[in-house]
Amino acid sequence: MKTITAEQFRSEKRNSTSNQSDNEAIDQAVLEILKQVMKNGDKALFHYTEKFDGVTLDEFVVSEQEFVEAREMVSSDFLTSIQQAKTNITTFHQAQVEHSWFMDKEPGIVLGQKVTPLEKVGIYIPGGKAAYPSSVLMNVIPAKLAGVENIQIVTPPQSDGTINPYVLVAAEESGVDTIYKLGGAQAIAALAYGTETVEKVAKIVGPGNAYVARAKKWVYGDVAIDMIAGPSEICVVADETAPISYIAADLLSQAEHDESATAICVTTSNTLAEKLTIEVEKQTASLDRKAIIQRSLSQNGKIIIANDLKDAFNIVNELAPEHLELMIQNPSESLQYIKNAGAIFLGNYSPEPLGDYFAGPNHTLPTSSTARFASPLGVYDFVKRSSVIQYSQAALLTNAEPIKTLANTEGLTAHANAIQIRKEKPDA
Amino acid sequence: MKTITAEQFRSEKRNSTSNQSDNEAIDQAVLEILKQVMKNGDKALFHYTEKFDGVTLDEFVVSEQEFVEAREMVSSDFLTSIQQAKTNITTFHQAQVEHSWFMDKEPGIVLGQKVTPLEKVGIYIPGGKAAYPSSVLMNVIPAKLAGVENIQIVTPPQSDGTINPYVLVAAEESGVDTIYKLGGAQAIAALAYGTETVEKVAKIVGPGNAYVARAKKWVYGDVAIDMIAGPSEICVVADETAPISYIAADLLSQAEHDESATAICVTTSNTLAEKLTIEVEKQTASLDRKAIIQRSLSQNGKIIIANDLKDAFNIVNELAPEHLELMIQNPSESLQYIKNAGAIFLGNYSPEPLGDYFAGPNHTLPTSSTARFASPLGVYDFVKRSSVIQYSQAALLTNAEPIKTLANTEGLTAHANAIQIRKEKPDA
């Protein structure tokens, strides 16, 4: 990990120029896949599954039998743990449930906001070598609480054509309707446009690789998506009281995700920065995913020296990190200064993995500085609102003039006429 | 307007295949504009404003003097009307304001959701020939209520280099910080990436032409956007009690927007369908925007005969219209059957223009069937949420095992280690 000053951080940031229109090579491949799936449906899905996952399938839908077998393969420890996590995730997300409301502040006038769950939702769960049962819970539970009737998972098959048993058990525990053995851009296309087997959904959520992310970007507008997810990030703000071994462990837990993951510590203490560099190297040596961690840290790892805590919080707000840990004295008093962060972990005993798996808030969080404008996945992602307007005859006629004035100002005289005709023919 | 059956409607719908990846010609032009603005900043903006708006500007920012002059040009009727509208829009949107919350259901555990306004927001207001002061109110007021500190409007200049005075007065009344004389994809690029003059924003909202819509699609992910807006739509559900002259007037108010606007009546009454066809023709003859209306109705106008009201509501949910009017007996009792619609107008005295200008709910609504998953613009568009997690030492150590089990299941052993190290060195 290299140590830099706040000035160096800002100048590096100014010079970074990547943007959404800068993905030509991947986009070309993705667009071809979208086109083929729209045109050839299931046939295209079988083709791409052979090509990209190396598996020839007879059908995409996971069978009852496969769920039963999965149950027999997982440990009771796993089952207890996932059930505890489910309880915690449910408790937190219940507080996000929204209800329809109406107001009748003036006689003859009712205004409202009707909240309706999305009808069908598709969830992408990464597969292949790794298995992410926690992502199943984090995506399915808020959709369920929102009242979504039909929840479909797509996840790429393993090389033997099966799906990881932990994923299957997590899906069953959380109440998924169907699991399709499908991955990549072709899975996104199938959910967005439908095929003979896969039902078209209203929204696609869940993380994936670069092809999945770009496919989501392309279908956005035809369906809703949660976000275009990038590599995972952590930022730890540490003052001189922070336990160095904890900071190091937390940075490394982020770095193990993949080579493009980012681990940053912002500290007010030069001494801490020096000791942390040594501790990170020491802990890395004994970790399973050492090779990934080393590449991730050398590419994206940073210790930034801030002038004071205020400066540190400014750096955080410029970074807008996915995960933020505040290992400082009185962390909750500093919460007011944090504007941009996906999830905020307070104090020395709230490490990121606690939030990844267990505490309750969602682990699907805005990456790549999108915490400037985006939120964690939540129940609000699975509902939509409709406005409701009801005026009585008297209420409309009383207010006819200003409405007509505004319509005429905009040159929309047929708009004015829709009001005027109700005045002229009040009881048509 | 042509009259069709529910079956014909469904078969037409199945055969429509337009999708987001089907915009190559516009995309090419838009991508070039985005690239030039990112590279050359203000210089590119001056160039495109000359090219597309036919105006050579010295600067983009609307001056104090221009605001003063605008005030002198608008009528007092307009001013009163817009102030009344502002009051109504504010009252409705105040009910959408969200607050941070925290829960402490277990000892040593605090979880929460922190709500933070977006820092800077950009609003696109269409310009040129038409002027839309109502769109200024509908976009600015929810942003203000959310607590957004910096609100910038972009709007294309008229051929003499000025901005429509109604737009300027509406902007001043609603508290906009800056107005830039900028339109098209170049305005979206400037807001998304910043130039010497234009500040980069966190979110871009507001309607525009096809170039603006595609530019928003491309910058989505680098900044947030409200939606990719398409042409405007109305669907009127009418039973045999509905006043035919009102239905016709309301359909025509939608059709006057532009040729691609859609006006649909779904009715259970054959007699009404016949009479409505005649009434629409009759009313059209005397309207200012007759030519647009005729083209819009012949391309997209439809009367759909439904078997019964239940069938009518199913058609509505398949259409997912931007505006829905229920001109039926006891409309509020039918609200429960409406799943997909941007705004729902109940009864004979709640015509769409009432909502466009005055009642209070937002007139920026999901178009092109996106009401399946999207909501009206609201205060919720201008805030974001951050999760907050705080565990005490005791709470973390009590729950250490299930967290480690889940991390190890996913093969993320450095995640498990971040928990384990706090167990091994509890007071580091």
Side-chain angles (χ1 to χ4, degrees):
Chain A
M1 290 185 88
K2 62 176 178 172
T3 300
I4 60 172
T5 64
E7 286 68 41
Q8 282 169 317
F9 157 72
R10 291 196 171 99
S11 125
E12 278 182 18
K13 196 156 187 296
R14 263 194 304 278
N15 294 327
S16 104
T17 56
S18 80
N19 68 73
Q20 287 292 337
S21 40
D22 204 16
N23 289 278
E24 239 172 284
I26 294 184
D27 279 357
Q28 230 170 6
V30 164
L31 279 171
E32 176 61 20
I33 294 169
L34 295 184
K35 213 174 80 185
Q36 290 299 328
V37 174
M38 277 189 257
K39 199 174 146 201
N40 298 318
D42 281 354
K43 207 181 130 197
L45 297 181
F46 282 115
H47 166 74
Y48 288 121
T49 305
E50 263 188 52
K51 184 170 171 186
F52 296 127
D53 304 305
V55 187
T56 307
L57 295 176
D58 290 328
E59 65 163 326
F60 302 118
V61 181
V62 172
S63 67
E64 275 307 311
Q65 183 58 24
E66 287 176 285
F67 280 105
V68 173
E69 284 166 15
R71 281 249 160 212
E72 288 162 8
M73 290 163 76
V74 308
S75 68
S76 65
D77 265 6
F78 169 76
L79 203 60
T80 325
S81 304
I82 208 126
Q83 283 164 347
Q84 267 186 275
K86 185 188 164 189
T87 304
N88 293 347
I89 297 167
T90 302
T91 301
F92 180 81
H93 286 82
Q94 263 163 348
Q96 293 177 337
V97 174
E98 284 175 76
H99 299 282
S100 302
W101 51 259
F102 292 88
M103 57 166 75
D104 54 352
K105 295 199 175 174
E106 286 178 72
I109 299 179
V110 178
L111 303 174
Q113 185 171 284
K114 178 174 152 72
V115 179
T116 313
L118 306 188
E119 284 187 78
K120 288 177 190 155
V121 164
I123 300 172
Y124 192 97
I125 300 292
K129 273 171 281 178
Y132 299 107
S134 62
S135 294
V136 175
L137 299 191
M138 291 291 184
N139 283 274
V140 177
I141 293 170
K144 277 277 174 195
L145 287 171
V148 175
E149 279 168 39
N150 184 300
I151 301 175
Q152 310 179 20
I153 282 183
V154 291
T155 186
Q158 303 177 107
S159 55
D160 62 355
T162 64
I163 300 295
N164 181 289
Y166 297 101
V167 167
L168 291 186
V169 170
E172 209 174 38
E173 285 291 321
S174 50
V176 169
D177 297 285
T178 315
I179 302 191
Y180 298 107
K181 298 174 181 178
L182 282 171
Q186 62 273 22
I188 302 300
L191 291 172
Y193 304 111
T195 69
E196 298 89 329
T197 305
V198 182
E199 284 184 83
K200 182 179 162 170
V201 300
K203 185 163 188 169
I204 303 173
V205 301
N209 64 18
Y211 289 84
V212 170
R214 290 307 291 179
K216 283 169 73 178
K217 163 106 181 160
W218 275 101
V219 302
Y220 166 72
D222 292 329
V223 289
I225 65 170
D226 54 345
M227 65 178 70
I228 306 161
S232 199
E233 311 140 10
I234 193 172
C235 173
V236 179
V237 175
D239 64 16
E240 68 289 349
T241 69
I244 288 164
S245 60
Y246 295 5
I247 309 174
D250 295 358
L251 294 175
L252 293 170
S253 79
Q254 192 57 35
E256 81 169 332
H257 272 293
D258 57 68
E259 295 161 28
S260 52
T262 297
I264 292 177
C265 176
V266 182
T267 182
T268 48
S269 160
N270 273 302
T271 319
L272 184 140
E274 281 164 31
K275 288 187 188 159
L276 180 60
T277 311
I278 297 161
E279 177 72 14
V280 162
E281 271 185 40
K282 200 183 107 199
Q283 287 191 21
T284 303
S286 62
L287 289 169
D288 294 351
R289 294 164 72 91
K290 184 162 60 175
I292 295 174
I293 291 171
Q294 280 166 337
R295 278 195 294 270
S296 151
L297 287 183
S298 79
Q299 279 170 37
N300 311 309
K302 275 187 206 86
I303 302 172
I304 305 173
I305 308 289
N307 301 322
D308 50 31
L309 273 183
K310 206 184 138 196
D311 189 34
F313 298 142
N314 286 338
I315 291 169
V316 166
N317 288 328
E318 288 166 51
L319 274 172
E322 183 189 10
H323 305 95
L324 172 67
E325 292 186 0
L326 298 184
M327 290 211 225
I328 54 177
Q329 286 187 295
N330 306 318
S332 52
E333 284 169 29
S334 296
L335 203 50
Q336 59 187 307
Y337 304 113
I338 305 303
K339 289 182 176 176
N340 302 328
I344 308 166
F345 298 79
L346 302 179
N348 297 342
Y349 297 94
S350 309
E352 193 209 301
L354 166 65
D356 288 342
Y357 292 112
F358 192 77
N362 213 284
H363 80 190
T364 304
L365 296 167
T367 57
S368 313
S369 294
T370 59
R372 287 183 301 122
F373 50 76
S375 302
L377 192 74
V379 175
Y380 38 77
D381 275 294
F382 299 103
V383 298
K384 68 214 167 58
R385 307 163 185 95
S386 304
S387 304
V388 179
I389 298 176
Q390 182 165 32
Y391 265 49
S392 69
Q393 186 184 39
L396 183 72
L397 298 186
T398 308
N399 291 293
E401 289 315 308
I403 306 176
K404 281 164 56 193
T405 298
L406 292 170
N408 286 323
T409 301
E410 298 193 353
L412 296 175
T413 47
H415 280 63
N417 186 58
I419 307 297
Q420 181 60 20
I421 202 165
R422 286 163 165 90
K423 226 175 141 174
E424 284 171 10
K425 303 181 177 184
D427 298 298
Chain B
M1 291 184 88
K2 62 174 177 174
T3 301
I4 59 171
T5 63
E7 287 68 41
Q8 283 170 317
F9 157 71
R10 291 198 171 97
S11 125
E12 278 181 18
K13 196 157 187 297
R14 263 194 305 278
N15 294 326
S16 103
T17 55
S18 80
N19 68 72
Q20 288 292 337
S21 40
D22 203 18
N23 288 277
E24 237 172 286
I26 294 185
D27 280 358
Q28 229 171 6
V30 164
L31 279 171
E32 176 61 20
I33 294 169
L34 294 184
K35 212 175 80 184
Q36 289 300 327
V37 173
M38 277 189 257
K39 198 173 145 202
N40 298 318
D42 281 354
K43 208 180 130 196
L45 297 181
F46 282 115
H47 166 74
Y48 287 121
T49 305
E50 263 188 51
K51 184 171 172 185
F52 297 126
D53 303 304
V55 187
T56 308
L57 295 175
D58 291 329
E59 65 164 327
F60 302 117
V61 181
V62 172
S63 67
E64 274 306 311
Q65 182 59 24
E66 287 175 285
F67 280 105
V68 173
E69 284 165 14
R71 281 247 160 213
E72 288 161 9
M73 289 163 77
V74 307
S75 67
S76 64
D77 265 7
F78 169 76
L79 202 61
T80 324
S81 304
I82 208 129
Q83 283 164 347
Q84 267 184 276
K86 185 188 164 187
T87 303
N88 293 347
I89 297 166
T90 303
T91 301
F92 180 81
H93 285 81
Q94 262 163 348
Q96 294 177 336
V97 174
E98 284 176 76
H99 299 282
S100 302
W101 51 260
F102 293 88
M103 56 166 74
D104 53 352
K105 295 198 174 174
E106 287 179 71
I109 299 179
V110 179
L111 303 174
Q113 183 171 285
K114 178 175 152 74
V115 178
T116 314
L118 306 188
E119 283 187 78
K120 287 176 191 156
V121 164
I123 301 173
Y124 192 97
I125 301 292
K129 272 171 283 177
Y132 298 107
S134 62
S135 294
V136 174
L137 299 191
M138 290 291 184
N139 282 274
V140 176
I141 292 170
K144 277 275 174 195
L145 287 172
V148 176
E149 277 168 40
N150 184 301
I151 301 175
Q152 310 179 20
I153 281 183
V154 291
T155 187
Q158 304 177 107
S159 55
D160 62 355
T162 64
I163 301 295
N164 181 288
Y166 297 101
V167 166
L168 291 187
V169 170
E172 208 174 39
E173 285 291 321
S174 50
V176 169
D177 296 286
T178 316
I179 302 191
Y180 297 107
K181 298 174 181 178
L182 281 171
Q186 63 273 21
I188 302 300
L191 290 172
Y193 303 111
T195 69
E196 299 89 329
T197 305
V198 183
E199 284 184 82
K200 182 179 163 169
V201 300
K203 185 163 189 168
I204 302 173
V205 301
N209 64 18
Y211 289 85
V212 170
R214 291 306 292 179
K216 282 170 74 180
K217 163 108 180 159
W218 275 101
V219 302
Y220 166 72
D222 292 329
V223 290
I225 66 170
D226 53 346
M227 66 179 70
I228 306 162
S232 199
E233 312 141 9
I234 193 171
C235 173
V236 179
V237 175
D239 64 17
E240 67 290 350
T241 69
I244 288 164
S245 59
Y246 295 5
I247 309 174
D250 295 359
L251 294 174
L252 293 169
S253 78
Q254 191 57 34
E256 80 169 332
H257 271 293
D258 57 67
E259 295 162 27
S260 52
T262 297
I264 292 177
C265 177
V266 182
T267 182
T268 48
S269 161
N270 274 303
T271 320
L272 184 140
E274 281 164 33
K275 288 188 188 159
L276 180 61
T277 310
I278 298 161
E279 176 72 13
V280 162
E281 271 186 40
K282 201 184 105 198
Q283 286 192 23
T284 302
S286 62
L287 288 169
D288 295 350
R289 294 165 72 92
K290 185 162 57 175
I292 296 174
I293 290 171
Q294 281 167 339
R295 278 196 293 271
S296 150
L297 288 184
S298 79
Q299 281 171 36
N300 312 309
K302 273 188 208 85
I303 302 173
I304 305 173
I305 308 289
N307 301 322
D308 50 29
L309 272 183
K310 207 185 136 195
D311 190 34
F313 298 142
N314 286 338
I315 291 170
V316 166
N317 288 328
E318 288 165 51
L319 275 171
E322 184 189 10
H323 305 95
L324 173 67
E325 292 186 359
L326 297 185
M327 289 211 224
I328 55 177
Q329 286 187 295
N330 307 318
S332 52
E333 283 169 29
S334 297
L335 204 50
Q336 58 186 309
Y337 305 113
I338 305 303
K339 289 182 175 175
N340 302 328
I344 307 166
F345 298 79
L346 301 179
N348 297 342
Y349 297 94
S350 309
E352 193 209 301
L354 166 65
D356 288 343
Y357 291 112
F358 192 77
N362 213 284
H363 80 190
T364 304
L365 296 166
T367 58
S368 314
S369 294
T370 59
R372 289 183 298 122
F373 49 77
S375 302
L377 191 74
V379 174
Y380 38 76
D381 275 294
F382 298 103
V383 298
K384 67 213 166 61
R385 307 160 184 96
S386 304
S387 305
V388 180
I389 298 176
Q390 182 165 33
Y391 266 48
S392 69
Q393 186 183 40
L396 183 73
L397 297 187
T398 307
N399 291 292
E401 288 317 308
I403 307 176
K404 281 164 55 193
T405 298
L406 292 170
N408 285 324
T409 301
E410 298 193 353
L412 296 175
T413 47
H415 281 62
N417 187 57
I419 307 296
Q420 181 61 20
I421 202 166
R422 284 163 166 92
K423 223 174 145 177
E424 283 172 12
K425 303 181 175 182
D427 299 297

